[in-house]
Amino acid sequence: MPGRDFWKIYGPLIVVALIGFIWALSVMDPAPPRSIRFAAGSPGGAYHAYAQRYERLLEEQGIEVELVDTAGSIDNLRLLEAGEVDVAIVQGGLATQEDAAILRSAGGIFEEPFWVFVRADNPAESFGDLREARLSIGVEGSGTRALAQTLQQQYGGVWPETARQALGSTDSQAALFAGEIDAAAFAAAPGAAYIQALMQSDEVRLLPFDRAGALARREEALSAVTLIRGVVDVGADVPSQDVPLVAAIAQLTVHGDIHPAIEALLLDTAVLIHSEPSVFSEGGEFPNMSDIDLPVSKQVARYYQDGPSFLRQYFPFGVANFLDRAWVLLIPLLTLAIPLIRVAPPIYRWRVRRKIYVWYKDLRELEAQGRALPAGEARAGVGKQLEKLQIEVGKLDVPLSYTDDLYRLRSHVEFVKQLLLSGAPVTGVTM
């Protein structure tokens, strides 16, 4: 059958191409992992809420996310350094030179103001007035505590233990409402539940940082921001006046060994989550590469310059990632395929024609037998063999494009038969 001939010729070539393709797949960049670990901060905090949004969106793309509860930014950094998590949100200004050697930033993702709430009856007018107060500045390992201690240094060195109480965010909120402490500090996004509750309460008030600009100049990781009057609640006029604050920029931070495809997917997700407007920024300002204190990969820099890749714009993550890695196979596959494609047609033609030409050997032998016998009855046996040969040749199945070769053979068989049976001298067959 012609189809059988096709597969006999092209089948091995296809197998060779598949083997080459499989080999190329084995040496190209490895596929990204299907799961990652995300340091999420403490439950109830802004970091944890954002981490849950990352979890939901990444799982829609087929990436399983394991959230790891932590005390905060310092804890997140330590886990990243140890390779125990892959991704974390980290408060700007906390990374060290050692961190920069093994960690990467995927960009700043939101402002993280330093909020200081005091009891409504407390006379403090500035952060420095709280030196002798009962002040909670966050638990060990939290970004709040690290930033609070930095600011305490700016306002007069090491403060008393009573002004460095280690309470978590929700515990600080409860203690402040209960009157067990005079003030509490938080480094958190405006959307954090405890920040919203404190802003709406008449029992406490937000302490302004009138020297926010000066602090931002002295501390590279800080910037001066303003909480605009009424932005929290226009109807209730909360806050009742503009409040100057200092803020760090929270960064999406990854381990340096993270797979590039996961890093790109994190950036896509960050855009979905953090490009929304906030009380301090307009929509589209985040994520960005401003005010970050860790290096970025070439891929991240290219993303912020050019946006997501062409493939990511039009294909799901899994397909886009495969195509992005598989393009490197094109050159070796073409190198293999071109000679195979060029050599296959001649081999196919030779094989089909060989099915026809092989019968000429039998035809020559029968012709030689006939010539060796005298004319007449002696050659009748050879004639019967030629008739059988004609029948066998007639059973050959070849493509239509080779029918002329088949009929030429059949005419030659008939020609030899007529020569032998006619008694005329036989001089051979011309092919």
Side-chain angles (χ1 to χ4, degrees):
M1 297 289 290
R4 191 174 300 168
D5 289 321
F6 175 88
W7 287 109
K8 285 183 178 179
I9 299 300
Y10 286 91
L13 300 181
I14 294 173
V15 170
V16 171
L18 285 175
I19 293 173
F21 182 75
I22 293 171
W23 173 82
L25 282 176
S26 68
V27 299
M28 76 178 187
D29 290 338
R34 306 307 297 177
S35 64
I36 60 172
R37 305 188 79 215
F38 198 123
S42 57
Y47 284 11
H48 203 278
Y50 278 122
Q52 288 175 322
R53 294 182 68 182
Y54 276 95
E55 177 186 26
R56 184 178 68 258
L57 292 174
L58 289 173
E59 288 186 349
E60 289 177 359
Q61 296 292 331
I63 303 299
E64 182 180 348
V65 180
E66 179 185 351
L67 299 184
V68 179
D69 293 345
T70 68
S73 288
I74 300 296
D75 206 7
N76 291 354
L77 280 172
R78 300 294 82 82
L79 290 173
L80 281 168
E81 291 168 357
E84 296 180 20
V85 296
D86 306 293
V87 189
I89 299 175
V90 175
Q91 180 182 298
L94 300 181
T96 64
Q97 290 185 347
E98 290 75 15
D99 293 327
I102 57 176
L103 305 182
R104 298 289 181 269
S105 174
I109 51 179
F110 58 85
E111 301 99 338
E112 198 169 16
F114 186 71
W115 314 81
V116 180
F117 289 92
V118 299
R119 297 279 303 173
D121 55 359
N122 191 295
E125 296 182 358
S126 72
F127 185 65
D129 295 337
L130 298 177
R131 183 182 181 88
E132 303 300 327
R134 297 172 298 170
L135 171 63
S136 169
I137 60 172
V139 297
E140 294 289 343
S142 67
T144 295
R145 190 172 188 85
L147 179 53
Q149 289 176 329
T150 297
L151 291 176
Q152 285 178 340
Q153 287 286 337
Q154 292 290 343
Y155 280 91
V158 178
W159 289 23
E161 285 292 329
T162 53
R164 293 187 288 122
Q165 296 187 34
L167 298 177
S169 300
T170 53
D171 290 338
S172 293
Q173 175 193 354
L176 191 57
F177 283 147
E180 297 172 358
I181 56 176
D182 302 309
F186 310 89
Y194 51 85
I195 296 296
Q196 291 294 313
L198 289 166
M199 289 294 300
Q200 298 284 354
S201 174
D202 294 329
E203 299 180 42
V204 298
R205 60 185 176 87
L206 178 61
L207 198 66
F209 277 78
D210 292 332
R211 283 165 278 180
L215 290 169
R217 290 291 182 89
R218 294 174 64 88
E219 295 291 335
E220 185 178 357
L222 296 179
S223 58
V225 296
T226 300
L227 187 66
I228 301 172
R229 176 179 177 176
V231 72
V232 175
D233 190 328
V234 175
D237 196 23
V238 180
S240 58
Q241 59 184 6
D242 290 354
V243 182
L245 300 171
V246 291
I249 300 298
Q251 301 176 67
L252 187 63
T253 308
V254 300
H255 194 278
D257 292 336
I258 196 168
H259 195 284
I262 297 295
E263 191 173 38
L265 185 57
L266 285 168
L267 283 168
D268 289 339
T269 308
V271 170
L272 291 175
I273 295 175
H274 303 292
S275 60
E276 302 169 351
S278 73
V279 298
F280 292 105
S281 63
E282 297 180 359
E285 289 190 19
F286 291 97
N288 60 49
M289 290 199 300
S290 302
D291 300 317
I292 59 175
D293 56 0
L294 286 169
V296 299
S297 67
K298 292 180 179 179
Q299 175 169 264
V300 169
R302 185 168 58 249
Y303 187 99
Y304 281 113
Q305 179 177 344
D306 303 325
S309 68
F310 172 82
L311 294 174
R312 286 292 295 126
Q313 293 181 51
Y314 296 98
F315 295 98
F317 169 69
V319 175
N321 174 252
F322 174 80
L323 294 176
D324 192 44
R325 293 182 299 119
W327 74 268
V328 298
L329 305 179
L330 186 60
I331 294 178
L333 286 179
L334 287 177
T335 304
L336 178 64
I338 290 175
L340 291 178
I341 293 173
R342 294 184 63 181
V343 75
I347 294 176
Y348 179 72
R349 288 194 298 269
W350 171 82
R351 184 172 180 84
V352 174
R353 286 176 172 170
R354 182 179 177 278
K355 292 173 63 177
I356 299 172
Y357 295 155
V358 71
W359 292 94
Y360 279 100
K361 179 181 178 182
D362 295 337
L363 182 57
R364 283 185 178 276
E365 290 177 354
L366 291 173
E367 179 189 3
Q369 292 178 24
R371 283 188 297 165
L373 297 173
E377 293 293 331
R379 293 183 178 178
V382 176
K384 290 181 179 181
Q385 292 185 56
L386 287 170
E387 289 177 357
K388 292 181 179 180
L389 179 62
Q390 187 72 280
I391 293 172
E392 292 297 325
V393 170
K395 295 179 180 178
L396 287 178
D397 189 6
V398 296
L400 288 175
S401 58
Y402 297 90
T403 304
D404 57 341
D405 293 318
L406 178 62
Y407 277 92
R408 189 178 298 114
L409 170 60
R410 296 183 69 180
S411 67
H412 287 162
V413 174
E414 184 63 24
F415 173 71
V416 172
K417 175 185 174 184
Q418 294 300 325
L419 285 179
L420 291 177
L421 297 181
S422 67
V426 180
T427 58
V429 178
T430 302
M431 293 180 287

